[in-house]
Amino acid sequence: GLGEELLGMTVWPIFILLIYGDLFEVGALVGVSALITSVVTLIAGKFADRHNKRKVLIVSSLIQGFVWLARLFTRHPGGVFAIDVAGRSSHNSVFVSMTTLTYDRAHEDDYSWHGVYYEQGFAIAKSLMAVVVMLIATTTDPFNTIFVIGAAWSTLYWIF
């Protein structure tokens, strides 16, 4: 994604481990969450095929932003599970609609550079997010600050 994916792959798992405290429980949570997310991603893809992909992208990115904000208030295992499912599902919904839009544009224009810029944009955004996270990691409560930044960056998809 545009940087918040880096947070979902690095900071969020650390947060989950701090809440659960047991690697087996974290593995079980992530496994069940991934299974549910797979079904939601399939549904989101079918929905995006039948509806306006840009609207699906905008709504999904807004949901993803709200999910990042909800992480601020999540400190119990049940809430962490619900937020994990919602976060993965909204991220995949954004990704499916954005990928489809990118390759539709490339097909219409007959330009392969759409895909190149698409991937380069992700790399640049993740690099910037890594720098931001390293700077924030020294604050007194880095999780809350990082979750707010994740929310802000998640909503940037609407400009796509």
Side-chain angles (χ1 to χ4, degrees):
L2 291 177
E4 88 296 336
E5 184 177 33
L6 181 68
L7 300 178
M9 293 185 310
T10 56
V11 176
W12 180 243
I14 294 168
F15 182 80
I16 292 173
L17 184 60
L18 291 174
I19 295 295
Y20 277 87
D22 180 14
L23 284 176
F24 180 79
E25 289 181 17
V26 171
L29 168 110
V30 170
V32 172
S33 178
L35 180 65
I36 294 169
T37 300
S38 298
V39 173
V40 172
T41 301
L42 179 65
I43 294 167
K46 295 286 186 186
F47 187 82
D49 285 343
R50 293 187 183 109
H51 296 86
N52 185 323
K53 293 165 189 66
R54 178 126 174 85
K55 287 182 181 177
V56 172
L57 175 67
I58 292 168
V59 170
S60 298
S61 71
L62 291 174
I63 291 170
Q64 189 176 15
F66 285 121
V67 168
W68 274 103
L69 289 177
R71 293 173 201 235
L72 292 169
F73 309 104
T74 305
R75 299 295 185 260
H76 299 288
V80 169
F81 176 75
I83 291 298
D84 193 60
V85 170
R88 289 172 187 272
S89 298
S90 61
H91 171 76
N92 285 356
S93 297
V94 165
F95 187 74
V96 165
S97 56
M98 191 166 61
T99 302
T100 304
L101 280 169
T102 299
Y103 289 104
D104 284 351
R105 287 178 185 166
H107 180 69
E108 289 170 6
D109 296 341
D110 198 29
Y111 295 124
S112 61
W113 58 266
H114 283 282
V116 173
Y117 285 142
Y118 174 77
E119 296 297 333
Q120 284 179 339
F122 285 159
I124 291 167
K126 286 178 185 172
S127 298
L128 289 173
M129 182 60 82
V131 170
V132 169
V133 168
M134 285 188 283
L135 293 173
I136 292 172
T138 59
T139 65
T140 57
D141 189 5
F143 286 115
N144 285 342
T145 307
I146 288 170
F147 293 164
V148 170
I149 290 172
W153 283 45
S154 293
T155 58
L156 292 177
Y157 289 105
W158 70 269
I159 62 175
F160 181 72

